Structures are given as C-alpha cells and as structure tokens.
Amino acid sequence: MKIAVLGTGMVGRAIAARLAELGNDVTVGTRDVAATLARTEPDGMGNPPFSAWAAAHPAVTPAAFADAAAEAELVISATSGAASLDALHAAGAGNLAGKVVLDIANPLDFSHGVPPTLFVKDTDSLGEQIQRTFPDARVVKTLNTMNAALMANPRQLADGDHTAFVSGNDSAAKKVATELLASLGHRDIIDLGDITTARGTEMLLSVWLRLFSALGTPNFNFKIVR
Ligand code: NAP
C-alpha cells in the first residue's frame, strides 16, 4: 500500500521503517525536506538527526507534507499533537479527502512542565478535532496508547499479547486500520466505537505517563483481560 507517515520524530520513524519492511511504499512527511535533512543535532529527546535515520532507511522517501499525502492511499498523522492540525492543513484537505487517516498523536501540553497535561480532554479529543476539521477524511484514532517501538512491532513484548484500540466513525476505515495493525503483529484490537471514544484512549495517557515513571521503561502496554 502507498502510505504517507506525517512526522519525522521517533514515532514516524518507527512506524515508517516497519511498514516499509513489510513491503509498503512509504513516504515520511515533514514541513521542509531540505531543512529536516540539514539538521545535524540530536532532537529534543536525544534521537539522532533525521538525516542519519533517512540514510539508514533508503526505501523510505522524505517529502513535504502535501507531496506525501497527495500520493498516498492511507495517511498516518504522527506529528506533535499540538501541531497535528497545522501539519494536516499543510498536507491539504483535498489530499486527505476519502482517505483513511490514522491519528496516532497525543494532545500533550508541555507548557506546564512534566509530566505533560492534555490540551483537550473529557468533552473533546484530538481525534475529534481532526475529524471535524477534515470531514471528508476517514479518521481512525489508534496506537496512541503505547510507545513507538510497540506500535511498530508489538511482538517485541509478550509476543504481542496486549491490546490496541481503534476509534472512528467509518466502519470500513476501522477495518482497514485493523488489518494494517494486524500486519504489524497486533493480536488484540478492540473497536471502541465512534471517534468520540478517542477521548478515553487519549486520557489513558495520564495513566501511561505515570506508569512510565513508576516502571522506569516505556516497554509496557495495556492488556484488557476478559
Ligand atoms: P514529535 O516530536 O512529537 O513531533 C515531531 C513532528 O511534529 C515532526 O514531523 C515535526 O515536523 C512536526 N511538527 C512540530 N511542530 C510543527 C508545526 N508547528 N507544524 C507542523 N508540524 C510540526 O514526534 P514523536 O515523539 O515521534 O511523537 C509523534 C506523536 O506521537 C506525538 O503526538 C506523540 O504524543 C505521539 N506518541 C508518541 C509516542 C512515543 O513513543 N514517543 C507514543 C504514543 C504517541 P518536522 O518534520 O518538519 O520537524
């Protein structure tokens, strides 16, 4: 499948690399390709510059947000949550129309320090904001409740025996998302319902962040036992 992953951070890199490894035709979207490739310093999280990652993953093509989205059959929104709407506007509503858009970002607000708070919660969500802003896109909120490595390859932990959620208004889009997740190795995928259910999975971040602190590792996930 032709997939645009919007985002050059650790999430975009992890998911793009894995989707390419599985045989998909993957483009990574960024604001300005030349500027992104010219960065030589590690990012704020200490990850190596994108150019080093790109050199090691020649099968993945970097492109401007709009160019990546224009060519794609499916778009993954993996930018900073506070910038996701701007990045999707740059991608272009016309380039998103009719397409499945997986929103895997979180609405984190670091302006009050760490742990971050959520800039939207309880009565709305980033997933809903994206769906409202781009009504012709088929938005599915998913994968935001686990770390990037597990999103891309859940079998790294407990042979994938843990849970992923999908939220969205379009059943066919959620089926596409579920099949894509299964191709990554996700075994337990729960359809929570319409896009308003993204409120719950985004608010899980408050628990996730405290678990990260308590366990001292991001290598854990939620498992719904029933
Ligand atoms: P990030 O640092 O949160 O975001 C980097 C991306 O955001 C870059 O592609 C950057 O564009 C873009 N961006 C930043 N400011 C922008 C602006 N003003 N306009 C347009 N685009 C802008 O990356 P990340 O750590 O990989 O996280 C990506 C998302 O996944 C976040 O929402 C995060 O909360 C969520 N998430 C992360 C994890 C995890 O394990 N880290 C787990 C679950 C969910 P350029 O390429 O142009 O610089």
Side-chain angles (χ1 to χ4, degrees):
M1 194 187 302
K2 280 176 94 75
I3 299 176
V5 178
L6 308 183
T8 56
M10 60 189 291
V11 174
R13 297 181 200 187
I15 206 102
R18 176 88 166 122
L19 288 169
E21 183 185 292
L22 292 170
N24 297 286
D25 181 353
V26 183
T27 303
V28 169
T30 184
R31 281 170 285 189
D32 178 332
V33 176
T36 300
L37 288 173
R39 289 177 201 146
T40 53
E41 298 299 316
D43 68 15
M45 305 294 287
N47 301 304
F50 181 76
S51 55
W53 180 89
H57 297 85
V60 178
T61 314
F65 285 134
D67 295 332
E71 295 297 321
E73 301 166 71
L74 181 144
V75 176
I76 299 180
S77 177
T79 50
S80 158
S84 288
L85 288 173
D86 286 346
L88 289 164
H89 276 300
N95 290 327
L96 304 176
K99 294 180 185 171
V100 176
V101 175
L102 300 192
D103 166 28
I104 63 178
N106 277 310
L108 300 183
D109 175 359
F110 289 90
S111 65
H112 306 291
V114 287
T117 55
L118 302 178
F119 64 74
V120 58
K121 57 182 175 290
D122 221 5
T123 54
D124 196 6
S125 61
L126 178 60
E128 287 166 88
Q129 291 180 348
I130 293 173
Q131 184 63 84
R132 275 200 306 276
T133 307
F134 302 96
D136 296 330
R138 303 159 68 203
V139 178
V140 180
K141 184 88 199 187
T142 191
L143 293 179
N144 62 305
T145 53
M146 66 194 80
N147 88 57
L150 290 180
M151 289 180 191
N153 192 352
R155 298 279 165 99
Q156 291 175 51
L157 177 68
D159 196 29
D161 185 20
H162 39 88
T163 306
F165 304 100
V166 292
S167 302
N169 297 340
D170 183 321
S171 296
K174 284 189 285 192
K175 183 164 183 291
V176 171
T178 299
E179 286 168 2
L180 192 79
L181 264 56
S183 77
L184 297 170
H186 291 278
R187 293 166 47 185
D188 184 30
I189 303 163
I190 299 180
D191 181 350
L192 291 173
D194 70 20
I195 193 66
T196 65
T197 63
R199 296 172 194 179
T201 54
E202 291 179 7
M203 287 192 291
L204 263 185
L205 255 290
S206 301
V207 182
W208 190 96
L209 289 161
R210 297 300 181 156
L211 283 166
F212 180 34
S213 174
L215 300 175
T217 172
N219 196 35
F220 62 88
N221 195 11
F222 299 103
K223 174 175 166 57
I224 305 304
V225 180
R226 73 270 196 205

